[in-house]
Amino acid sequence: MRIVIAGGHGQIALRLERLLAARGDEVAGIIRRAEQAGDLRAAGAEPVVLDLESASAEEVAQRLRGADAAVFAAGAGPGSGAARKDTVDKGAAVLFADAAVRAGVRRHVVVSSMGADARHEGDDVFDVYLRAKGEADDHVRAQEGLDWTILRPGSLTDEPGTGQVRLEAHTGRGSVSRDDVATVLAELVDTPATAGLTLELVGGSTPVAVAVKSVAGN
C-alpha cells in the first residue's frame, strides 16, 4: 500500500512510519519544515514539505493522488494557543479530508482525542482543542467519499508499547502509549472493515490485532 500521513514528524506519526515501512508499505509524510526530512527518511518515509495551514485543497490532493490510504496525525501541539487549535486541529483536518475526497483516496484514518466534541463547553485552550477536534471529526464523518475511521486515544505516554489495548466505542478514561497508538493505526489502515467507526483507545489486555478484528464490521 501507499499511505500518506499528515503531520509526518509527530511522535505518533514517526512511530507509524517505521511500522509501515518495516512491513513493506510505501509511506509519505507531510511535514511543514524541510529540516524535518532527515527524521522521516530515517523512519523509512518519503518527506513531503507542505504547510497544511496555508495550502489549498488541490495542493494537498496532488500529494494524495495514487495513495491507498491517508492518515491525519497532525496537531498544533501542547504549547500552542487557541488560534492554532482552530487552524491545525480543525482546519488542517478538514482540508486533508476534503483533499482526500478530491484525490479519490477513500481510506481515511484520523487521530483524534478522547473527549473531542463540537459541543464541548469552556474557554481554556484545552476546551478549544476538544471543540476543534470534535468539529473536525464531524466534518470527516459527513464525507460520503471517505471510508473513515476515527481513533480517539486517551492520555498519551512515552512508555514502551505492550501490544495490548482496549479498543471500543467507549472505553472510559485511561492512558495509552504512543507506541501502541501507532500499532493500532497500522492495523486500522489495513482493516477497511473498521470504516464508519469512532473508537476510543486505552491500554488494556487484548492484543492489538485481536482488538481491531473484534470491532471490525460492527
Side-chain angles (χ1 to χ4, degrees):
M1 295 176 71
R2 176 171 171 81
I3 301 153
V4 178
I5 301 171
H9 195 256
Q11 296 185 65
I12 290 172
L14 286 168
R15 288 167 166 85
L16 177 59
E17 286 155 5
R18 285 191 286 269
L19 290 173
L20 295 174
R23 76 182 191 189
D25 288 324
E26 180 184 342
V27 191
I30 296 176
I31 54 176
R32 199 159 49 94
R33 298 195 298 272
E35 58 266 28
Q36 299 170 334
D39 292 335
L40 269 74
R41 292 192 185 98
E46 166 201 343
V48 176
V49 181
L50 184 68
D51 188 347
L52 294 177
E53 288 181 90
S54 60
S56 68
E58 180 54 33
E59 287 173 323
V60 181
Q62 287 173 9
R63 274 65 169 195
L64 281 166
R65 287 194 176 95
D68 299 292
V71 178
F72 184 82
S80 59
R84 294 200 71 229
K85 305 304 183 193
D86 189 62
T87 59
V88 179
D89 294 294
K90 176 186 174 181
V94 167
L95 174 72
F96 195 62
D98 290 348
V101 172
R102 184 178 292 219
V105 181
R106 292 199 63 92
R107 188 72 182 113
H108 197 82
V109 179
V110 175
V111 183
S112 183
S113 174
M114 191 173 291
D117 185 347
R119 294 164 298 283
H120 181 85
E121 297 181 353
D123 298 318
D124 291 341
V125 173
F126 191 65
D127 297 320
V128 176
Y129 168 75
L130 291 177
R131 273 198 300 277
K133 294 297 281 186
E135 289 168 358
D137 291 352
D138 287 349
H139 181 84
V140 169
R141 286 189 287 231
Q143 304 309 304
E144 294 182 359
L146 298 179
D147 296 328
W148 54 265
T149 304
I150 294 172
L151 183 66
R152 292 179 166 176
S155 300
L156 299 171
T157 76
D158 288 323
E159 296 296 317
T162 65
Q164 296 188 318
V165 298
R166 183 178 177 192
L167 180 70
E168 299 170 14
H170 301 286
T171 62
R173 296 285 174 178
S175 61
V176 61
S177 74
R178 288 178 172 86
D179 285 350
D180 286 333
V181 176
T183 303
V184 170
L185 288 169
E187 195 75 22
L188 288 174
V189 166
D190 211 26
T191 312
T194 59
L197 299 179
T198 300
L199 301 166
E200 294 183 349
L201 174 68
V202 295
S205 57
T206 305
V208 167
V210 175
V212 171
K213 284 185 176 65
S214 71
V215 297
N218 294 337

